[in-house]
DNA sequence: GTCTATATCTAGATAGAC
DNA sequence: GTCTATCTAGATATAGAC
């Protein structure tokens, strides 16, 4: 890892978002800072402010990109899981765990509290599309109402997010669970959830 | 909320732990700081350091107390749920959601990464006892091995922690879900998990 | 479009007065 | 046992040079 400082040539805006993901994967939202992103790219701490007015706007761009990429990953995983609706929804949980383990950008970033007051149109469109994808997958399992489908989405996301949080918080550290192993458990748990009717 | 400064008379050590819980309930671990705890009690920022050598030791005391109280809450909820082992384990998830919604101190605090290097005997004993309680409740559902019971505990905790995280991260904010409503969903989800065999 | 330099703020932690 | 005062470190953000 080089710490040399130099003039950045190219698309710094894109590079800042990319470096933010790397930083999140390394240390989570807790250690995310504009200064650290700049450091990682070898530019001055002032450089990011030419492209984003403040921390929230940079994080908002990361949030939008994460919502988009997570949606893509989820759709791909569902399609790879075959035609059975229950298997397709179960695959969502696995895809979520894998995506967050790889990028560090789960719902705690996509829906970060500090972004609540910054309604960015691009970001809102991505989160809306992601939610639509999830609702559709849940509805296909035979939900009799939107409410029921929504609750199934919530349960699926809760399971997946719960496993990733425990993974990130070091709960599994001693056992050295791999991200793939945890993803498989999240998938199995969601399969149980969807196969058996909820109350 | 008063911000007046005054000499603290009484058990400041206990008051610091108590105020830490209030701070966690308000803003989560992200906004926890020794300075903020002192501010909340109206004492100087130096005062806490007479009772705890550093931030980690204060947080460690909070972690130990949370593990103890959470264990008590879980045992009480299981007992209130009756004799059926599946219902008892399902009640654990509900109790977890309610405890964390009330205190802010869940596994992300109890097993905080920053405490990993500070093996405090008192804290370790509380976390060990909590884990034993959980394993016993899981084993009673008919697990054929310790490994299987452990995985069931992980699944139960993942579900409960997932729901609380989504609650804390504002995912449910727009719908104004109450903590009790979310706790009921966590209970129902865990019931589905334990009733149906996992792979 | 990025740099250096700087102002402001907050937190962790310590020294010495009372 | 708590205070005031202070040091250090890191973050956000801005001003002005190049």
């Amino acid at each position: 890892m080089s710490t040399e400082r130099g003039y950045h040539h190219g698309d710094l805006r894109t590079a800042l978002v990319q470096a933010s993901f790397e930083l999140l994967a390394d240390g989570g939202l807790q250690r995310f800072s504009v200064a650290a992103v700049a450091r990682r790219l070898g530019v001055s701490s002032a450089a990011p402010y030419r492209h984003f007015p403040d921390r929230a706007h940079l994080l908002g761009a990361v949030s939008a990109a994460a919502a988009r990429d997570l949606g893509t990953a989820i759709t791909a995983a569902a399609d790879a899981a075959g035609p059975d609706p229950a298997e397709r929804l179960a695959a969502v949980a696995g895809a979520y765990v894998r995506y967050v383990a790889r990028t560090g950008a789960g719902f705690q970033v996509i829906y970060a509290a500090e972004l609540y007051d910054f309604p960015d149109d691009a970001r809102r469109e991505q989160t809306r599309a992601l939610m639509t994808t999830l609702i559709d997958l849940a509805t296909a399992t035979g939900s009799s109402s939107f409410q029921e489908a929504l609750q199934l989405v919530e349960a699926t996301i809760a399971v997946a997010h719960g496993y990733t949080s425990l993974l990130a918080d070091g709960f599994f550290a001693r056992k050295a669970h791999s991200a793939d192993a945890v993803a498989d458990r999240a998938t199995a748990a969601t399969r149980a959830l969807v196969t058996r009717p909820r109350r």
Side-chain angles (χ1 to χ4, degrees), chain A residues 144-161:
Chain A
S144 61
S145 69
F146 176 80
Q147 272 305 315
E148 199 179 300
L150 181 58
Q151 287 190 24
L152 187 50
V153 167
E154 289 174 359
T156 302
I157 292 302
V159 167
H161 189 63

Side-chain angles (χ1 to χ4, degrees), chain A residues 16 63 91 140:
Chain A
L16 286 165
S63 166

Side-chain angles (χ1 to χ4, degrees), chain A residues 13 42 48 113 184:
Chain A
R13 190 193 157 93
D184 287 346

Side-chain angles (χ1 to χ4, degrees), chain A residues 60-61 63-65 67-68 119-128:
Chain A
S63 166
R68 182 198 60 205
D120 168 9
D121 280 349
R123 172 172 160 261
R124 205 162 72 179
E125 175 54 30
Q126 296 295 345
T127 57
R128 197 200 56 74

Side-chain angles (χ1 to χ4, degrees), chain A residues 52-160:
Chain A
F52 299 97
D54 55 28
R55 168 191 162 106
H57 281 79
L58 170 54
L59 200 57
V62 173
S63 166
R68 182 198 60 205
D69 295 348
L70 179 57
T72 301
I74 281 174
T75 301
D79 287 349
D84 178 36
E87 277 306 316
R88 290 170 66 82
L89 190 63
V92 167
Y96 181 88
V97 171
R98 272 178 254 266
Y99 179 79
V100 180
R102 182 161 57 83
T103 66
F107 277 173
Q108 84 282 13
V109 170
I110 294 173
Y111 293 98
E114 57 186 301
L115 298 180
Y116 196 81
D117 297 327
F118 290 78
D120 168 9
D121 280 349
R123 172 172 160 261
R124 205 162 72 179
E125 175 54 30
Q126 296 295 345
T127 57
R128 197 200 56 74
L130 172 59
M131 205 57 195
T132 301
T133 298
L134 291 170
I135 291 283
D136 287 349
L137 285 163
T139 302
T141 65
S143 301
S144 61
S145 69
F146 176 80
Q147 272 305 315
E148 199 179 300
L150 181 58
Q151 287 190 24
L152 187 50
V153 167
E154 289 174 359
T156 302
I157 292 302
V159 167

